[in-house]
Amino acid sequence: MDEPLVSVVVTARNAAATIPALLDCLAAQTLARERFEVVVVDDASTDDTAQVVRDSGLATVLSTDRPLGDAARNLAVQAARGKIVAITDADCRPVRRWLEHGVEDLDRLGVDMVGGHVEVPLPARPSLVEQIDFSRFLDQERAIAEGGFAATANLFLRREVFDRAGRFNERLIAGGDREFCLRATDAGCTLAYSPRAAVVHPPHATARRLARRAYRAGIGRAQVIRHGDGPARAATAIIWMRPGAYKPSRRVYGVERLERHGRRPGPLRRLQLSAAQWGLIQLPMVWGNFLGFAREARPE
């Protein structure tokens, strides 16, 4: 059997309710079906994720006995046969020309990696949580321009990148995409943003999920400082040791993204957003960072 051009790589844990929509979107891609494969790693799910994927007939399924995080993504990359690897999440919805445009833009932009646009749709009357999530996370264009990395919710890369940069760091529970991309660019690989190779990712709708995401990000930053390879370690600040990290800020981080999408919060709404940002993002991230350092300080 001829090798496919693209291998779509997905890791999924307890995604039986969300992954069918992803698989439907992949089945509807404009890139010819014989030119891509789908590899899904069921990361020790306790629901029917693996069976749902098998029943679709679209993907190869690998299963783990225990949750592996980024190590599960490495399993998928190892099994993938394509010259290009396209990574996305189980709760994403790629547009119909996602694969076509991702492949084209690698060549058109002359780069080794492409971070595709992540569209986060907001309802007509978004909640505070949805607005904070929209403004703080998955702004792929900003992440690439200012941070030098792309989220693995939507990342295309040539297989040679793994030869030059290695695999994803298996000791990180969060921040692995940033650590990997910075390691890759430090090895000479190039990264660009594509507005065309887009996926849709729903916003987090509950305060608990948003705070948990920030908490994990704080732990991930501690792990990067302890276990990161390459420039990410030096570029990562110790959050909990900074006095200003505990103080609320009037500035709403990422409000520019809201404004670009026609959401212009007034003074009262900005105050509400600032308070929500402090309680749901800033403090959980500081706490996660502190606990992450405490855990990493223990003897192995």
Side-chain angles (χ1 to χ4, degrees):
M1 183 177 178
D2 293 338
E3 292 184 351
L5 173 64
V6 185
S7 293
V8 179
V9 163
V10 182
T11 56
R13 177 167 169 78
N14 296 333
T18 58
I19 203 167
L22 167 66
L23 296 171
D24 288 343
C25 291
L26 293 176
Q29 289 294 299
T30 56
L31 189 69
R33 181 64 189 87
E34 65 272 12
R35 301 195 71 196
F36 73 94
E37 66 174 358
V38 181
V39 181
V40 176
V41 176
D42 172 37
D43 194 17
S45 295
T46 57
D47 65 5
D48 295 328
T49 297
Q51 192 59 50
V52 168
V53 178
R54 290 191 187 97
D55 290 345
S56 74
L58 186 70
T60 298
V61 183
L62 306 175
S63 296
T64 66
D65 296 328
R66 58 184 177 84
L68 298 180
D70 277 353
R73 185 173 291 125
N74 286 339
L75 285 178
V77 170
Q78 184 176 354
R81 298 176 298 128
K83 297 178 181 178
I84 295 169
V85 175
I87 305 174
T88 191
D89 291 338
D91 55 354
C92 286
R93 313 288 181 266
V95 300
R96 291 192 71 241
R97 299 185 70 181
W98 175 60
L99 289 176
E100 182 182 346
H101 282 156
V103 171
E104 288 178 354
D105 284 353
L106 279 171
D107 290 331
R108 182 177 65 87
L109 299 172
V111 293
D112 303 299
M113 303 181 291
V114 160
H117 176 69
V118 180
E119 180 68 26
V120 181
L122 287 176
R125 298 178 64 85
S127 67
L128 273 175
V129 170
E130 289 169 328
Q131 286 183 295
I132 288 294
D133 184 55
F134 180 87
S135 63
R136 288 297 296 255
F137 298 107
L138 293 180
D139 187 345
Q140 196 82 304
E141 184 175 14
R142 182 172 189 166
I144 293 171
E146 298 181 8
F149 75 96
T152 46
N154 189 2
L155 177 63
F156 287 77
L157 59 164
R158 303 183 193 276
R159 178 164 290 280
E160 292 81 9
V161 173
F162 295 110
D163 297 331
R164 298 169 68 177
R167 301 292 173 88
F168 287 94
N169 192 322
E170 298 182 359
R171 305 192 72 176
L172 309 180
I173 69 165
D177 42 13
R178 173 175 172 267
E179 195 263 5
F180 174 81
C181 286
L182 292 182
R183 185 158 26 96
T185 54
D186 189 55
C189 301
T190 48
L191 169 68
Y193 168 71
S194 168
R196 306 190 308 160
V199 302
V200 178
H201 188 291
H204 288 87
T206 68
R208 182 176 180 178
R209 288 187 64 191
L210 191 59
R212 180 171 176 77
R213 181 173 188 172
Y215 173 78
R216 284 173 57 85
I219 293 176
R221 285 175 175 264
Q223 291 177 330
V224 165
I225 291 175
R226 177 70 185 274
H227 303 297
D229 295 324
R233 177 183 291 182
T236 301
I238 303 175
I239 305 172
W240 68 272
M241 293 184 65
R242 299 165 60 185
Y246 300 86
K247 301 176 182 178
S249 172
R250 291 187 178 182
R251 177 177 179 263
V252 180
Y253 182 88
V255 71
E256 302 85 0
R257 190 183 190 195
L258 285 168
E259 293 174 343
R260 289 199 306 268
H261 286 74
R263 314 278 180 166
R264 298 186 179 276
L268 177 60
R269 193 60 166 178
R270 282 178 178 264
L271 184 62
Q272 293 172 331
L273 289 169
S274 177
Q277 177 179 262
W278 181 66
L280 298 178
I281 301 292
Q282 191 170 329
L283 291 184
M285 188 175 292
V286 171
W287 180 236
N289 194 239
F290 172 77
L291 289 182
F293 270 96
R295 293 171 184 172
E296 294 300 329
R298 298 172 184 169
E300 296 185 0

